[in-house]
Amino acid sequence: MDLDAAPGSVLALLGENGAGKSTLVRIIAGDLRADSGEIALDGVPHDVRDVAAARALGIKLIYQEISDAPPLSVAENIVLGAWPARRGFVRGRETRVRAREVLDALGVDLPLDAPVSSLRLGERQLVEIARALTGQARCLIFDEPTAALSDAETERLFEVIEGLKARGVAILYITHRLDEVFRIAEEVCVLRDGHIVLHEKVADAGKDQVIEAMVGRSVERRARGREEAAPGADRPPAVRLDGASSGELFRDVALDARPGEIVALYGKVGSGASEVAEAIFGMHAVDAGALHVGGRRVRFRHPADAIAAGVGCLPGDRQREAMFRSRSVAENLAAPSWRAIAGASGLVTRGGRRWRTGAGTIGCASAPATTPSSRSGRCRAATSRRWCWAAGWSAVRR
């Protein structure tokens, strides 16, 4: 695979889950070793043998999965790996000064002394970005950085990227949002099945061309008209909130989600949108109003109650909140259905037809979730497909 990224420009990397985007950028960032070929900066080949070597060259990767140190403070996470120290002791005041300078450049106000474990996902993503911006950067790699950011945070990130471009930094930008590509990128590169199938200047590429390169076929896009009813408009709601409240998390929320319908809960970090979804999944008690699932009023005390009622949840931070990272992908896939696939003794065995069929749809049934392959989109899809394995689930994504 041949790929060039010019200084002072953004190269957008696109492709479906499992196309090879994450593997490629991890090789560039020293997290994986390439079997052959070379990586060159300013025309000079370098041996990027590990992450430390890549960072010394100014190559830094902001992973899609959060990779912070939860017990440490915001300031300590920002300077992680580059501690300001004297005689072997970390200088706390200088740590906070450096962290504040980076956050000010991002236009972000976070409590420097708070542990990052107390922050929401979007805020932790900003800490990841801030850490990558410390020190000299020649090539920055962003792996879907806006997935958990609010509109205001995304706009600020784009401003920072423009500033980095002006300083001559080469930027590789992985995203599934085509609008972002045409907003900030100069070139677009599409991967499919581990091969580059399109590499064009953004000005010369159209959205339809990019989409067809990603999926390998012509795709007909049709928007539903304002007067066209949703598929389940004439059916009773699968999920209904009627004046629902949960302490200080959210108050007096009313919504209906009908079969075959997608209902979007929109709001920036801290607005309560995520908490509404969590309450439907039994993570927070609905202490006022009512929650109905399948036409029946329910009071979930635990996510297990929601699962038994046919409600699934796809968390925003799937690595930490949805995957059993020491277990195989097949076991992750089967997690909500353990009772259904257990034998008379209550033990789960891998020999059953349903186990083999369900795990086979992922394509990596024997890979443990801690292996590098679990970071690919194909294996992370297990957290989504686990709910599709059993029919009739209502999915809640936050």
Side-chain angles (χ1 to χ4, degrees):
M1 182 181 296
D2 297 327
L3 187 69
D4 293 326
S9 68
V10 174
L11 171 62
L13 294 178
L14 302 179
E16 293 188 301
N17 287 338
K21 307 182 298 298
S22 294
T23 300
L24 172 62
V25 297
R26 290 178 65 199
I27 291 174
I28 297 172
D31 198 19
L32 290 176
R33 293 280 291 193
D35 296 328
S36 60
E38 64 180 21
I39 298 174
L41 284 175
D42 298 327
V44 180
H46 292 275
D47 180 19
V48 185
R49 59 187 179 277
D50 52 31
V51 174
R55 292 182 67 87
L57 293 170
I59 303 173
K60 301 179 181 181
L61 168 59
I62 303 171
Y63 289 103
Q64 181 179 355
E65 299 88 3
I66 300 296
S67 55
D68 54 22
L72 299 184
S73 70
V74 169
E76 290 167 333
N77 269 274
I78 290 175
V79 300
L80 197 63
W83 304 97
R86 184 178 182 182
R87 296 177 180 176
F89 292 93
V90 176
R91 306 181 68 176
R93 182 177 180 277
E94 188 174 345
T95 294
R96 288 189 289 273
V97 169
R98 289 189 186 180
R100 176 52 62 196
E101 289 175 351
V102 178
L103 290 177
D104 287 345
L106 281 172
V108 174
D109 184 20
L110 293 176
L112 294 179
D113 296 322
V116 294
S117 59
S118 67
L119 304 181
R120 296 195 62 82
L121 179 60
E123 295 170 325
R124 291 169 64 184
Q125 181 70 43
L126 291 173
V127 173
E128 294 279 296
I129 295 171
R131 184 193 309 149
L133 296 180
T134 58
Q136 182 65 30
R138 300 170 70 184
C139 176
L140 283 185
I141 305 169
F142 291 88
D143 190 355
E144 298 195 50
T146 63
L149 301 185
S150 68
D151 287 347
E153 291 164 343
T154 297
E155 288 298 322
R156 184 54 185 155
L157 172 63
F158 289 167
E159 293 175 8
V160 171
I161 289 176
E162 292 297 330
L164 293 170
K165 289 162 60 175
R167 288 161 48 185
V169 178
I171 297 172
L172 301 180
Y173 192 93
I174 297 178
T175 183
H176 285 101
R177 301 177 179 180
L178 291 184
D179 289 342
E180 294 182 359
V181 174
F182 290 88
R183 166 78 181 276
I184 64 170
E186 281 70 38
E187 295 183 69
V188 57
C189 178
V190 177
L191 277 68
R192 188 172 71 244
D193 298 330
H195 300 279
I196 295 176
V197 294
L198 176 70
H199 192 164
E200 292 279 357
K201 293 187 179 298
V202 169
D204 299 330
K207 287 188 177 181
D208 289 341
Q209 180 186 8
V210 172
I211 294 172
E212 289 178 14
M214 290 173 60
V215 302
R217 63 183 184 277
S218 177
V219 176
E220 180 183 354
R221 293 189 293 163
R222 184 178 70 90
R224 187 167 63 232
R226 288 179 177 270
E227 303 303 323
E228 186 177 347
D234 58 343
R235 300 172 63 184
V239 175
R240 164 172 284 177
L241 287 174
D242 186 7
S245 301
S246 180
E248 298 298 322
L249 299 177
F250 59 86
R251 296 179 180 177
D252 197 26
V253 173
L255 65 83
D256 289 343
R258 300 179 185 278
E261 199 174 51
I262 297 176
V263 177
L265 298 181
Y266 182 82
K268 64 182 183 180
V269 173
S271 67
S274 293
E275 286 77 6
V276 170
E278 291 167 356
I280 296 174
F281 191 59
M283 297 173 65
H284 305 298
V286 175
D287 48 30
L291 167 62
H292 299 263
V293 174
R296 182 172 59 90
R297 183 169 180 171
V298 295
R299 185 178 294 276
F300 297 148
R301 294 178 173 82
H302 189 274
D305 299 334
I307 293 173
V311 180
C313 181
L314 307 179
D317 189 351
R318 300 190 190 185
Q319 284 286 329
R320 293 178 183 270
E321 299 178 4
M323 291 189 71
F324 300 99
R325 301 181 70 177
S326 62
R327 312 305 298 177
S328 71
V329 172
E331 289 168 311
N332 272 278
L333 179 68
S337 305
W338 280 335
R339 290 184 180 178
I341 63 177
S345 64
L347 298 177
V348 177
T349 61
R350 304 189 186 192
R353 178 185 59 81
R354 190 179 182 190
W355 176 282
R356 293 195 304 271
T357 301
T361 63
I362 301 299
C364 49
S366 61
T370 50
T371 62
S373 64
S374 72
R375 301 185 77 134
S376 70
R378 183 174 299 158
C379 290
R380 287 194 304 271
T383 57
S384 302
R385 297 186 183 181
R386 62 167 53 146
W387 304 114
C388 300
W389 191 359
W393 296 86
S394 298
V396 177
R397 179 172 182 171
R398 57 181 177 87

